[in-house]
Structures are given as C-alpha cells and as structure tokens.
Amino acid sequence: DGGITQSPKYLFRKEGQNVTLSCEQNLNHDAMYWYRQDPGQGLRLIYYSQIVNDFQKGDIAEGYSVSREKKESFPLTVTSAQKNPTAFYLCASSTTGAKTEAFFGQGTRLTVV
Amino acid sequence: SQKIEQNSEALNIQEGKTATLTCNYTNYSPAYLQWYRQDPGRGPVFLLLIRENEKEKRKERLKVTFDTTLKQSLFHITASQPADSATYLCALDAYNFNKFYFGSGTKLNVKP
C-alpha cells in the first residue's frame, strides 16, 4: 500500500541532544513537509522541499535541520538549539502543482526529559 | 502574514443534527482551501478541497462553501454521527507555492 511512514511514534530526548525523526513515502510525491503541532494550536510549518536536494525554511525553522537526498525520504533533525522541542511532529507529502492535497504520516511525539 | 482562524471552542451537537464549522482568513488570497479531519494522536486526513472560483462542494454528508469576499469557508456535516467526532482543520494554499497553512482546528463532539 502507498503511504507515508514516520518513525518512531514516540521519542524521548535528553536535554542537549540532537535527535532525528524519520519520514519515508512511497507515493512518488515531489513535495514533502514537516509540521509541528502543539496542544490547542494549528500545524506550523518547519521545513518543506519541492524537489530532491532542495528545501526551504518554513515559519519556525530555527533549531531544526533537514535533508532531501532521496525523493522518498525527508528526515528532520531536532537540534539542541531548539529551546522547546517537546511537541507532536507531522510529516506530509504531496504532488506539486495546483489542487494538491497533503498526505500525512501518523506523527512522532517527541518529549524532552 | 497570513492568519487563519477557527473556533477554538469545541462544538457539541446531538446525533442527527448538522454540524457547521467556520474557517476565516486574513491577509491572504488562497487559490484553494482544504478541510482535514484529525483524530487524537494521528495525522490529519484530507476530506475536501474547494477552489476560489467554486462556491460550494459536496461529498456524501459533507459540504464546504467558500466565500472569497468574506474570506470565509463553512464546513457542514449533515446527519452527524458519533463517529464524526474529531478535530477538523482548514488549510490554505496559494498559487505556485505548494505550502499549506493550517488553522488550529475545531473539535467536534457528536453525542448519541
């Protein structure tokens, strides 16, 4: 079945550590996205990529980094520079062009301990 | 910057009634607007898309309207069921940007 897979589902990080969240899709989509969701808030865009080897900062990119070496993969690294990393992280993909819907993974809940 | 507003208060309705959720936006001229459903602890799931030149779109028990003058979209669920209980998010895009901006969502509770 085609879809988008995030792993792990739950992740615990110690203060000062970098952690990497995985996102893989087999939908042959060019565009991929990372969002952060906090309780009672909407999805905020961290980074997005419309093509391999290219990506752009979203609204809250500070403290995060990404790579897009393969079309299927868009990993997100939460660095120690991110001051408040505890949140629900969602990866999505879509085709490019008009009238595209986003397909989301099941999310990764990151907790700093 | 663009701003998308959805009612943060939960909407509680009785089974069988019509639920109506609102999405307002400012500082923005979206090419189209989308509605998603999100269940607790899960990623959003796409429901409907409506373009700026469409006034209304329907899919089974769902109906979406889009008023670009009022900068508002209404999302209706007719004959609501307890299984419709979830958070509903609206999302906007713009021409050639392929970025999706989401509202904070409205939680719908359908009581039997």
Side-chain angles (χ1 to χ4, degrees):
Chain A
D1 288 335
I4 182 165
T5 303
Q6 290 185 241
S7 61
K9 187 171 177 65
Y10 299 96
L11 187 57
F12 297 89
R13 190 194 92 173
K14 292 183 179 180
E15 293 271 1
Q17 281 184 339
N18 292 355
V19 288
T20 297
L21 284 59
S22 170
C23 180
E24 304 277 334
Q25 54 99 359
N26 60 4
L27 299 167
N28 200 34
H29 287 165
D30 286 311
M32 297 188 74
Y33 316 81
W34 274 105
Y35 290 90
R36 169 181 172 142
Q37 187 174 35
D38 295 284
Q41 297 192 34
L43 280 64
R44 291 185 289 168
L45 184 63
I46 304 173
Y47 269 98
Y48 65 104
S49 168
Q50 296 193 27
I51 196 169
V52 175
N53 292 322
D54 187 47
F55 49 83
Q56 286 78 41
K57 294 181 179 180
D59 300 318
I60 56 165
E62 185 175 352
Y64 300 98
S65 66
V66 294
S67 63
R68 186 85 188 275
E69 298 176 359
K70 297 187 300 182
K71 187 175 185 177
E72 302 79 19
S73 179
F74 192 40
L76 173 74
T77 297
V78 184
T79 74
S80 56
Q82 170 51 235
K83 299 305 179 187
N84 185 22
T86 295
F88 189 49
Y89 290 87
L90 287 159
C91 179
S93 70
S94 73
T95 58
T96 54
K99 298 190 297 177
T100 58
E101 65 185 84
F103 292 79
F104 282 85
Q106 292 304 297
T108 293
R109 187 166 300 279
L110 173 64
T111 304
V112 174
V113 296
Chain B
S1 62
Q2 71 288 334
K3 187 174 181 180
I4 304 168
E5 293 182 341
Q6 295 185 255
N7 194 341
S8 59
E9 291 185 15
L11 177 63
N12 299 304
I13 65 168
Q14 205 68 32
E15 181 177 9
K17 301 294 185 182
T18 296
T20 299
L21 287 71
T22 304
C23 176
N24 295 296
Y25 59 93
T26 59
N27 300 330
Y28 205 56
S29 296
Y32 53 91
L33 184 146
Q34 303 176 27
W35 283 89
Y36 290 78
R37 169 183 173 142
Q38 186 176 25
D39 291 287
R42 303 180 72 87
V45 175
F46 171 78
L47 296 174
L48 277 172
L49 178 151
I50 186 168
R51 291 178 288 180
E52 60 179 342
N53 61 350
E54 297 176 321
K55 296 296 184 185
E56 181 179 298
K57 201 77 167 284
R58 291 176 185 262
K59 180 182 177 182
E60 298 174 349
R61 294 185 296 111
L62 308 180
K63 185 179 84 170
V64 173
T65 62
F66 194 9
D67 189 325
T68 55
T69 301
L70 292 178
K71 293 186 180 294
Q72 179 182 80
S73 174
L74 299 178
F75 177 78
H76 307 272
I77 304 176
T78 58
S80 59
Q81 305 165 2
D84 295 326
S85 298
T87 296
Y88 292 86
L89 305 166
C90 69
L92 306 179
D93 198 343
Y95 286 121
N96 301 324
F97 286 103
N98 278 120
K99 292 196 296 184
F100 298 84
Y101 292 101
F102 284 82
S104 57
T106 298
K107 186 174 182 181
L108 173 65
N109 296 313
V110 181
K111 300 183 178 180

